[in-house]
Amino acid sequence: MINILLVTHGKMAEGMYSSVGMLIGKAENFDFVCFDKDMGQDELKEELDKRLADVSDGKQYLIMCDIKGGTPFNVASRYSFKNDNAAVFYGVNLPILIEAIISREGKSLGQLAEYLEGVSGTTIGLSEI
Amino acid sequence: MDITIFRIDDRLIHGQVITAWIAYADAETIIVADDNAAGDEFQQSLLKMATPNSVKLNILSIQDTIELLKTDTSSTRALLLVRTPKGAYDILDAGIKIESINIGNINMKKNKIKILGNFWVSQEDIDCLYKISEKGVKLEVRAVPNERSQDAVNLLKKIK
């Protein structure tokens, strides 16, 4: 099963992690890192190194970040650069995060990433009511 | 080239720059002046990806930045980013004129002294910041535009 690592500015990742638990219960192979206000880029990299030390063909990672070009995204991209066993998805929100968790079974990392990109547009919008 | 914001930020282009500073600087172009990024394929693709399509991006060595700023006579509004106080000093020392420099993030590293959460300095940083200040350039610490700005030299004096 593909591992999912959520990395965001501030406590958003921790909050989303808790919201996921509320909606679908405890998810396996799912972890988060918060990039806190006073943290440096190097400290964030250390945190990611700890969690991504074992990226391999048998252990693929989808790293979900908030803002494209933000520090969590920038640091995470180092792991997906020229490495097919890690992919970075940006613009994470709660529905797409849950979709990633529940739909990853039986998919390769490439398939999952492509699928999520395809459905992401349906996760935000204006209510018709 | 009209440098509307000159910023020292060891993260170069990241969330604060994308969401706030580009608009604040009313920037048409971003110049990343960094020897390391200018020679690193990964950093270049990352910086390109991070830059909104509405803004042009130039990734140059410090020396090439100086050449560009000396020869470009257009009124293009630019956001100039360097990673360290040394980089900023080298640009000023080559004769580039600027009134004020913004310090965004100079983060924790070994053997650095903490001034603020986002402002840690090595001895080299301190020396360069004083030399910049001696050129009559204002140094203000501010992560995002709507934050209160603090005078870097006043902050440095407190540690001496």
Side-chain angles (χ1 to χ4, degrees), chain A residues 9 35-43 67-71 73-79 81-82 90, chain B residues 10-11 13-16 18-19 40-43 45-46 49-50 83 107-109 114 117-118 120 147:
Chain A
H9 288 88
F35 178 51
D36 285 321
K37 196 168 179 284
D38 286 351
M39 255 169 107
Q41 199 165 338
D42 292 349
E43 283 171 287
I67 296 175
K68 179 169 89 164
T71 301
F73 171 91
N74 292 347
V75 174
S77 294
R78 181 68 77 174
Y79 300 87
F81 183 63
K82 295 182 177 171
Y90 60 82
Chain B
D10 61 15
R11 293 181 207 157
I13 302 177
H14 62 108
Q16 292 165 353
I18 299 162
T19 56
D40 179 345
E41 188 195 344
F42 168 72
Q43 288 188 56
S45 33
L46 201 56
M49 201 170 189
R83 209 188 286 268
N107 277 290
M108 188 172 79
K109 275 214 177 85
K114 181 179 181 178
N118 60 328
W120 292 66
E147 204 175 70

